[in-house]
Amino acid sequence: MSRIDIRELAKQWGLVVAVDQVSFTVAKGSLTVLLGPSGCGKSTILRLIAGLENVSSGSIAIGGNEVTHMDPAKRGVSMVFQSYALFPHLNVRENIIFGLKVRGISQSERHSRLDESARMVGLEELLNRKPAQLSGGQRQRVALARSIVSRRRVCLMDEPLSNLDAKLRAEMRDEIRSLQQKLGLTMVYVTHDQVEAMTMADQVVLLKKGRVEQIGRPHELYERPQTTFAAQFMGSPPMNLLKLDLIEERSALAVACGGTLSPDRLTDGYIGVRPEHVQVGSSGLPVRVSATDYLGAETVLRLAHGGQTLFGKIDGHRRYNPGEQLHVSWSEEAVHRFGADGIRIEDPYRASS
Amino acid sequence: MPAAILLIAFTHYPTVATVIDSLFSKATAIRPSRFVGVLNYQRMLDDPIFWKVLANNAWFALGTIPTSIALAILMALFVNRSIPGRSLVRMAYFTPTVLPMIAVANIWLFFYTPDIGLIDQIASWFGFSGHNWLGDPTTVLPAIMVMTVWKEAGFFMIFYLAAMQNIPPELEEASQLEGATRWYYFRRVMFPLLMPTTLFVLVNAVLNSFKLVDHLFVLTKGGPDNASNLLLYYIFETAFSYFETHFAAALTVVLLILLSVMALLQFFLLDKRVHYR
């Protein structure tokens, strides 16, 4: 009914290519996050799906119907804007039922649908307030209710949580996710926050400069990033990438990698290791501590080897001082290999996980 | 303090002096000015020209204000979109505002001149005979109204344009997604959000319709037979052509009262319907 198929979608403004040959599918009732840094075209893709921008080439289908050039209102999508787009002169009630009034839905039905959606997001007490009298989180709920009340099966969200503080953001994240699952909505959710992507998504579409970098489940992106960009975008602090041709002590590196990789296979491209897999020990790659960030449960070490920087996430009880010389190593399973072009190399000597 | 001194010297004192003056009679060579109470006001009630100019002014306000506001909104809507040569069109709309009223009146004097004026020349191509637009008591007031609208609309457009650019575009996109037509969006979202601007423009337009008389000096001098005479011009004539300064003072007081009542009415009536962000 409400699956979304996007095929070779492209959008250009003059010579600027904002979206370049993007294809992906959102399964019915699932949540797909479009993730990427600002300017990667994720919001543009969302606006193309909504019909707020004209498609340059490619196609969009919703529920099996081609909608590429269809009027936005006829596509059966609702949208939550980053700024919430509430009508400032209307109270919460009027804001929520605005669309129902436009479509000429009867008063009794308007009433029951308003009650239902207001209850779902906890706005019953605030129906007579104006948006200016609401907090950021409450405005967000009005925008959600407006989307729910439309009973459209596809919901598009454009960075809906970016104007909220950290605590509220975590709360709303869970709430949006559980609403989406309860109502069985097909949701496309745009964010630049990898934590939101990791916690909410059934599927993540990672974008860079208008192109798809990787599509997969959150753990696939985290555990098997296909490019160095994906490796560094997911996770905080990001994955350590060591540029191999800058490393003199190849044998020390081979030891750090568990000893089974032979030094002559570590010649060009990159080695990637997640900070949490870095272990401090007596053997391995020699590094110097350049800074320590104590975070309570853990400590993030900033380590220098030659001109390259590594992050290590270690137990919070151990103390290190800047300037200290250490050796770091990691298990062989923790190693990600990337070619000089930044593309992942599957190790033929290792069973793929 | 300096501001208060200036205000008192040039605004408050003259106002009070005018009110006091209006209660005295005209001084002549043999009879000095003396207190006559409300005699000047009684005379006003019996003065047919006073009622005539008051009616003229009412028609003038009714004819120019809604038209120029509607036109201003239309023009602002038009230039708020991305059209080729947008800034040129905006400038063109605004030009009449930059011109002094006297210059505008002179331009329109040429338009309205019988037989050789622009309007009559164009009309003659279609076989209409010449018409003395400013000489005919039935057409002179509408002719002046058209000119005023032409001059005012561009000025008000600037305010509407600024207000429209303050409305976030997502509001239109959100209503578009809900299936609202452009007209529905204008009626239910944009126009209500423009209400503060409309109030501001309305107050200004009302004040202007009583204040602006420069064009009468050039075009008609209030004639023919007071058909285009407005209150302020009548005050001017009374005071400086007939030297009836005390009667003019009484007229001025009436004008002041009228203006304040209208301004207050607008604020209190419209305030309830205005949404300030």
Short mmCIF file of all heavy atoms in Angstrom, two decimals, chain A residues 8-9 41 44 75 112 114 119 130 147 150-151 160 162 170 184 188 237 248 284-285 298 303 350 353:
data_model
loop_
_atom_site.label_atom_id
_atom_site.label_comp_id
_atom_site.label_asym_id
_atom_site.label_seq_id
_atom_site.Cartn_x
_atom_site.Cartn_y
_atom_site.Cartn_z
N GLU A 8 16.73 6.16 -9.48
CA GLU A 8 17.62 7.07 -10.20
C GLU A 8 17.18 8.52 -10.12
O GLU A 8 17.19 9.25 -11.11
CB GLU A 8 17.76 6.62 -11.66
CG GLU A 8 18.66 5.42 -11.77
CD GLU A 8 18.41 4.60 -13.03
OE1 GLU A 8 17.80 5.15 -13.95
OE2 GLU A 8 18.86 3.45 -13.07
N LEU A 9 16.78 8.92 -8.95
CA LEU A 9 16.28 10.27 -8.73
C LEU A 9 17.41 11.28 -8.85
O LEU A 9 18.49 11.09 -8.32
CB LEU A 9 15.66 10.35 -7.34
CG LEU A 9 14.85 11.59 -7.01
CD1 LEU A 9 13.60 11.65 -7.85
CD2 LEU A 9 14.49 11.59 -5.54
N GLY A 41 22.05 16.77 0.33
CA GLY A 41 20.87 16.56 -0.50
C GLY A 41 19.77 15.78 0.18
O GLY A 41 18.77 15.44 -0.45
N THR A 44 16.52 17.71 0.26
CA THR A 44 16.01 17.85 -1.10
C THR A 44 15.28 16.58 -1.52
O THR A 44 14.21 16.65 -2.14
CB THR A 44 17.17 18.15 -2.08
OG1 THR A 44 17.91 19.24 -1.56
CG2 THR A 44 16.64 18.47 -3.45
N ARG A 75 -0.53 12.90 -3.25
CA ARG A 75 0.42 11.79 -3.08
C ARG A 75 0.16 10.98 -1.83
O ARG A 75 0.75 9.92 -1.65
CB ARG A 75 1.85 12.35 -3.00
CG ARG A 75 2.24 13.07 -4.25
CD ARG A 75 3.69 13.50 -4.21
NE ARG A 75 4.00 14.19 -5.45
CZ ARG A 75 5.21 14.32 -5.94
NH1 ARG A 75 6.24 13.84 -5.29
NH2 ARG A 75 5.40 14.95 -7.08
N SER A 112 -13.67 13.62 16.20
CA SER A 112 -13.17 12.37 16.75
C SER A 112 -11.70 12.17 16.38
O SER A 112 -10.91 11.67 17.19
CB SER A 112 -14.04 11.20 16.28
OG SER A 112 -13.94 11.07 14.89
N LEU A 114 -9.55 14.56 15.81
CA LEU A 114 -8.77 15.51 16.61
C LEU A 114 -8.51 14.93 17.99
O LEU A 114 -7.38 14.93 18.48
CB LEU A 114 -9.51 16.84 16.71
CG LEU A 114 -8.96 17.83 17.73
CD1 LEU A 114 -7.64 18.41 17.26
CD2 LEU A 114 -9.95 18.96 17.99
N ARG A 119 -4.83 12.99 21.92
CA ARG A 119 -4.55 12.09 23.03
C ARG A 119 -3.24 11.35 22.79
O ARG A 119 -2.44 11.18 23.70
CB ARG A 119 -5.71 11.10 23.18
CG ARG A 119 -5.76 10.45 24.56
CD ARG A 119 -7.01 9.64 24.73
NE ARG A 119 -7.20 8.69 23.65
CZ ARG A 119 -8.22 8.71 22.79
NH1 ARG A 119 -9.14 9.60 22.89
NH2 ARG A 119 -8.31 7.82 21.82
N LYS A 130 -2.23 29.18 21.57
CA LYS A 130 -1.60 29.56 20.31
C LYS A 130 -0.17 28.99 20.29
O LYS A 130 0.42 28.81 21.35
CB LYS A 130 -1.53 31.09 20.19
CG LYS A 130 -2.87 31.77 20.02
CD LYS A 130 -3.24 31.86 18.54
CE LYS A 130 -4.62 32.44 18.32
NZ LYS A 130 -4.68 33.88 18.59
N SER A 147 0.22 15.58 11.53
CA SER A 147 0.56 14.50 10.61
C SER A 147 -0.30 13.27 10.87
O SER A 147 -0.79 12.62 9.94
CB SER A 147 2.05 14.20 10.78
OG SER A 147 2.40 13.09 10.03
N SER A 150 -4.09 13.33 9.70
CA SER A 150 -4.36 13.21 8.26
C SER A 150 -4.62 11.76 7.86
O SER A 150 -5.16 11.50 6.79
CB SER A 150 -3.18 13.77 7.47
OG SER A 150 -2.07 12.91 7.58
N ARG A 151 -4.21 10.83 8.72
CA ARG A 151 -4.36 9.39 8.45
C ARG A 151 -3.69 8.98 7.15
O ARG A 151 -4.10 8.02 6.50
CB ARG A 151 -5.83 8.97 8.41
CG ARG A 151 -6.52 9.20 9.73
CD ARG A 151 -7.43 8.06 10.06
NE ARG A 151 -7.97 8.25 11.40
CZ ARG A 151 -9.25 8.12 11.70
NH1 ARG A 151 -10.11 7.76 10.77
NH2 ARG A 151 -9.65 8.29 12.92
N PRO A 160 13.17 16.77 12.46
CA PRO A 160 12.15 17.29 13.38
C PRO A 160 12.66 17.60 14.77
O PRO A 160 12.04 18.36 15.49
CB PRO A 160 11.11 16.17 13.43
CG PRO A 160 11.88 14.95 13.10
CD PRO A 160 12.94 15.36 12.14
N SER A 162 15.78 18.84 15.60
CA SER A 162 17.01 19.62 15.67
C SER A 162 16.85 20.90 16.49
O SER A 162 17.83 21.49 16.89
CB SER A 162 17.51 19.96 14.28
OG SER A 162 16.52 20.63 13.57
N ALA A 170 15.93 13.04 23.04
CA ALA A 170 15.93 11.60 23.29
C ALA A 170 14.51 11.10 23.55
O ALA A 170 14.09 10.05 23.06
CB ALA A 170 16.83 11.29 24.48
N GLY A 184 1.86 1.92 12.22
CA GLY A 184 2.31 1.26 11.01
C GLY A 184 2.62 2.21 9.88
O GLY A 184 2.39 1.91 8.71
N VAL A 188 9.90 8.39 6.29
CA VAL A 188 11.22 8.78 5.82
C VAL A 188 11.66 9.93 6.71
O VAL A 188 10.94 10.92 6.85
CB VAL A 188 11.22 9.22 4.34
CG1 VAL A 188 12.63 9.59 3.90
CG2 VAL A 188 10.66 8.12 3.47
N PRO A 237 33.61 8.92 19.34
CA PRO A 237 34.41 9.51 18.27
C PRO A 237 34.44 8.60 17.04
O PRO A 237 34.15 7.42 17.15
CB PRO A 237 35.79 9.65 18.90
CG PRO A 237 35.80 8.78 20.09
CD PRO A 237 34.39 8.59 20.52
N GLU A 248 55.79 4.16 9.10
CA GLU A 248 57.12 3.58 8.86
C GLU A 248 57.21 2.17 9.44
O GLU A 248 57.70 1.27 8.81
CB GLU A 248 58.18 4.46 9.51
CG GLU A 248 58.02 5.96 9.20
CD GLU A 248 58.97 6.39 8.11
OE1 GLU A 248 60.15 6.02 8.19
OE2 GLU A 248 58.54 7.08 7.16
N GLY A 284 52.78 -3.50 20.32
CA GLY A 284 51.90 -2.94 19.29
C GLY A 284 52.45 -1.63 18.78
O GLY A 284 53.66 -1.38 18.79
N LEU A 285 51.54 -0.78 18.31
CA LEU A 285 51.95 0.47 17.68
C LEU A 285 52.33 1.50 18.75
O LEU A 285 51.55 1.76 19.66
CB LEU A 285 50.78 1.01 16.84
CG LEU A 285 51.08 2.03 15.75
CD1 LEU A 285 51.95 1.42 14.66
CD2 LEU A 285 49.79 2.56 15.18
N GLU A 298 33.92 6.12 30.92
CA GLU A 298 35.02 5.82 30.00
C GLU A 298 35.89 7.06 29.83
O GLU A 298 35.51 8.16 30.22
CB GLU A 298 34.47 5.38 28.64
CG GLU A 298 33.67 6.49 28.00
CD GLU A 298 32.61 5.99 27.04
OE1 GLU A 298 32.21 4.83 27.14
OE2 GLU A 298 32.20 6.80 26.21
N LEU A 303 45.49 9.99 20.73
CA LEU A 303 46.83 9.44 20.64
C LEU A 303 47.46 9.84 19.32
O LEU A 303 46.78 9.91 18.29
CB LEU A 303 46.76 7.91 20.70
CG LEU A 303 45.97 7.35 21.89
CD1 LEU A 303 45.61 5.88 21.65
CD2 LEU A 303 46.76 7.51 23.17
N ARG A 350 40.08 -13.86 5.31
CA ARG A 350 39.28 -13.88 6.53
C ARG A 350 37.84 -14.20 6.15
O ARG A 350 37.33 -13.65 5.18
CB ARG A 350 39.33 -12.50 7.18
CG ARG A 350 39.30 -12.54 8.68
CD ARG A 350 39.64 -11.19 9.24
NE ARG A 350 38.49 -10.31 9.21
CZ ARG A 350 38.57 -9.01 9.40
NH1 ARG A 350 39.72 -8.44 9.58
NH2 ARG A 350 37.49 -8.28 9.38
N SER A 353 32.16 -11.80 7.86
CA SER A 353 31.26 -11.95 9.01
C SER A 353 29.84 -11.69 8.60
O SER A 353 29.58 -11.01 7.63
CB SER A 353 31.67 -11.00 10.12
OG SER A 353 31.82 -9.69 9.61
#
